[in-house]
Amino acid sequence: MRTTTRRAVLGAGIAAAGTGLLAACSKGTGDGPSPSSSATPAGFVSPDGREVAAAEARRGTGPVRRVRLTATPARLDLGGGRTVASWAYGDALPGREVRVTAGDTLALTLANHLPVPTSVHWHGLALRNDMDGVPGLTQRPVAAGASHDYRFTVAHPGTYWLHPHSGTQQDRGLYAPLIVEDPKEPLKYDKEWVVVLDDWVDGVDGSTPDAVLAELAKGMGMGGMDHGGGGMDHGGGHDMPGMSHMSMTTASSAPSPTGPPRMLMGATSDVLGGDAGDVAYPYYLVNGRTPEDPETFTAKPGDRVRIRLINAGGDTAFRVALGDHRMTVTHTDGFPVEHIQTDALLLGMGERYDVLVEVKDGVFPLTALAEGKKRTALALLRTGGGSAPGADVRPRELEGAPLTADRLKAAGDVALKERRPDRTITLKLTGSMAKYDWAINGRTYSPSYRHPVAAGERVRLAFVNATTMWHPMHLHGHTFALPGGGARKDTAIVLPGKRLEVDFDADNPGLWMIHCHNVYHAESGMMTVLGYRA
């Protein structure tokens, strides 16, 4: 089943009046005619404006790193004999890593072999606005059968990733790590692993992310009961191949041609403030593999290993631990923090963490617990002999409270300097599972509606969560500072009923998205735009 997303309905092409750039709407599923385009409201910097070009010039240019990326239908092997039909970058899940050095110029050509338009967003990068990859806002969609060239200077080292910003496409296989090396890397380590976490539904028993969104969009049944009201936890246990997922959902009808019901009820987490998620995923993956056939990383006892963790999930926070080890957190969302040790840490969708581990002798589980959903993704560390733990292993390190971003402090060289905000923008997160009417300030996404800022301002974003659900809020093109000298981040969890104030410097002109990184919340309307005044 295909649906037309709210972004497609509302995403009339927005770009610069009088600049010649006319971005058409985002067609997340490709159904139906494109809405007509319209000019940007007067007075805003356009994605291809001279202010954007000037900001890019200040970043300089470096050696050119050329990459070709192909978005294509593919059959993906999840391990253990499970294959699914999905969309991916090439034939790999995740897509093959893109690795550059800070200061390089990335020249990437996206070839779209999908049956629908697509795009590439560079999650976490401060880059030129017309390369940000948001159809209907910063570029035209890349049509089926067409290609598009992205070219920009990569200014900051760190752990990032890339994915579409077109409908629910990110909840298929369209994502890949983007690693930006530091030419003056201060950390010392023997090995480096990139670990991508994901929740998976596409192609399983006929399910697609579009069908999941259509189901969720109908809202919670049972008299409009709110999703956050506790109830029985149906998220436990590992499904065996072919097992029905009916017990994990609120629906009781037989599976339809678009797959069994996927609405999740009763998954709760204290660390997330209650309700843990909306979607009952059949699989949770590390680097595209199920726990029954996990990827194995090898090292020697005593090696110091850097692990770059990326949550590419659509609706799932992951609690991560390495059995019988403590991790030293060194970075979050690409930026260094004061080092802190932990047994486990929590990643919301879109968040990244770098950790260092001195590995012991043996075989150990790297386990990512789907927070509140009680199922896990798994990889293995092998440094010596011994039998591997089973798919259902639960390291004791998962039992305590995981480290969360509010406990981190920015490293001194990246800490945001003290300054009174010139402007505060209040973003009230609204909506409920009952009506599935997620929005910001009660307004669902419209690309023509902007929250204005001026270049050079210190801007405070006040996220006020008026819902019973947690939301990982992501700002494009910038990093913000958490309160009290906190970590520099681009994605932060806002708990239900809480207010989170973050500050950033308006130093990258253009039109920039702010949205929940729950794919289904965003596509239902929990997105808005930050616009620089011309």
Side-chain angles (χ1 to χ4, degrees):
M1 177 178 179
R2 289 183 176 180
T3 64
T4 301
T5 68
R6 182 179 299 273
R7 191 193 316 231
V9 172
L10 297 177
I14 303 297
T19 66
L21 173 64
L22 188 63
C25 71
S26 167
K27 290 292 297 168
T29 61
D31 291 342
S34 297
S36 61
S37 61
S38 62
T40 295
F44 286 95
V45 171
S46 66
D48 63 348
R50 54 190 173 86
E51 299 93 338
V52 172
E56 179 72 352
R58 289 192 292 271
R59 294 186 184 101
T61 59
V64 177
R65 173 80 165 93
R66 298 189 183 278
V67 177
R68 185 170 179 85
L69 191 69
T70 302
T72 184
R75 288 203 65 83
L76 301 174
D77 178 10
L78 305 183
R82 299 178 182 86
T83 60
V84 292
S86 186
W87 298 346
Y89 293 131
D91 58 357
L93 183 70
R96 289 180 175 84
E97 172 189 297
V98 177
R99 186 172 287 257
V100 299
T101 299
D104 285 356
T105 296
L106 177 59
L108 182 141
T109 298
L110 170 67
N112 183 12
H113 293 182
L114 303 175
V116 298
T118 191
S119 63
V120 174
H121 167 59
W122 315 88
H123 185 112
L125 288 188
L127 76 172
R128 58 179 301 148
N129 190 221
D130 55 354
M131 296 291 119
D132 193 45
V134 182
L137 188 71
T138 67
Q139 69 167 85
R140 292 185 177 91
V142 184
S147 63
H148 184 80
D149 293 322
Y150 294 90
R151 186 183 179 102
F152 53 87
T153 299
V154 184
H156 301 295
T159 301
Y160 305 97
W161 60 302
L162 57 99
H163 60 81
H165 225 284
S166 301
T168 61
Q169 290 180 16
Q170 184 226 305
D171 215 25
R172 296 180 186 257
L174 294 165
Y175 57 84
L178 172 61
I179 307 303
V180 185
E181 294 184 334
D182 189 342
K184 300 179 181 179
E185 178 59 65
L187 297 180
K188 303 297 183 184
Y189 46 91
D190 302 296
K191 286 182 176 288
E192 178 185 320
W193 304 332
V194 178
V195 173
V196 185
L197 313 173
D198 193 19
D199 42 21
W200 190 270
V201 70
D202 194 35
V204 180
D205 299 330
S207 291
T208 67
D210 287 339
V212 171
L213 178 59
E215 178 190 356
L216 294 172
K218 297 175 182 177
M220 176 70 71
M222 303 172 67
M225 184 177 72
D226 193 279
H227 191 41
M232 216 173 160
D233 189 347
H234 301 299
H238 277 283
D239 287 354
M240 298 301 292
M243 176 181 172
S244 169
H245 306 290
M246 295 297 293
S247 64
M248 297 174 61
T249 70
T250 60
S252 57
S253 59
S256 72
T258 55
R262 298 295 183 187
M263 185 184 291
L264 179 63
M265 179 181 174
T268 59
S269 161
D270 289 341
V271 73
L272 293 175
D275 184 5
D278 298 340
V279 182
Y281 286 91
Y283 301 121
Y284 298 91
L285 310 177
V286 173
N287 289 354
R289 311 294 292 181
T290 65
E292 289 74 23
D293 188 10
E295 181 170 5
T296 299
F297 298 102
T298 59
K300 296 181 296 184
D303 275 353
R304 202 175 197 216
V305 179
R306 180 180 193 165
I307 306 176
R308 299 179 184 261
L309 295 158
I310 302 169
N311 184 352
D315 178 71
T316 305
F318 287 98
R319 182 188 299 223
V320 180
L322 178 60
D324 202 26
H325 289 76
R326 282 177 67 78
M327 301 177 288
T328 299
V329 178
T330 64
H331 295 73
T332 182
D333 291 1
F335 279 71
V337 298
E338 294 181 0
H339 292 191
I340 184 172
Q341 284 198 327
T342 186
D343 287 334
L345 54 84
L346 184 77
L347 288 86
M349 294 83 79
E351 288 191 290
R352 293 91 61 212
Y353 282 83
D354 292 18
V355 301
L356 289 176
V357 180
E358 187 171 318
V359 298
K360 301 179 181 180
D361 187 6
V363 186
F364 307 96
L366 177 62
T367 302
L369 173 68
E371 182 67 25
K373 300 181 180 182
K374 297 188 176 180
R375 300 175 63 213
T376 58
L378 178 70
L380 297 176
L381 160 65
R382 180 177 288 277
T383 63
S387 58
D392 59 351
V393 61
R394 295 291 192 278
R396 61 175 178 78
E397 286 79 8
L398 291 171
E399 295 172 3
L403 181 78
T404 50
D406 57 297
R407 290 177 52 196
L408 300 174
K409 296 293 183 183
D413 57 340
V414 300
L416 203 63
K417 292 180 172 59
E418 289 284 342
R419 178 179 167 186
R420 184 184 299 275
D422 300 296
R423 183 191 303 265
T424 297
I425 298 173
T426 300
L427 301 172
K428 186 177 182 181
L429 313 181
T430 57
S432 71
M433 185 67 181
K435 296 182 179 179
Y436 222 77
D437 54 350
W438 306 110
I440 294 177
N441 293 337
R443 179 192 294 268
T444 54
Y445 174 61
S446 170
S448 62
Y449 182 80
R450 285 86 192 274
H451 299 273
V453 299
E457 288 185 329
R458 169 68 57 86
V459 180
R460 175 164 293 173
L461 300 177
F463 295 107
V464 181
N465 190 348
T467 79
T468 60
M469 180 75 183
W470 67 284
H471 302 284
M473 299 304 297
H474 173 50
L475 170 64
H476 287 208
H478 304 75
T479 62
F480 49 71
L482 297 183
R488 295 283 300 275
K489 291 180 65 63
D490 54 70
T491 308
I493 290 173
V494 187
L495 296 176
K498 300 297 185 182
R499 178 186 181 100
L500 176 65
E501 294 184 347
V502 301
D503 290 357
F504 72 93
D505 288 330
D507 57 4
N508 196 16
L511 304 176
W512 301 102
M513 294 288 292
I514 306 173
H515 64 93
C516 178
H517 223 278
N518 183 310
V519 170
Y520 301 97
H521 294 183
E523 283 305 301
S524 297
M526 192 173 275
M527 306 189 292
T528 192
V529 178
L530 187 83
Y532 279 64
R533 286 290 190 188

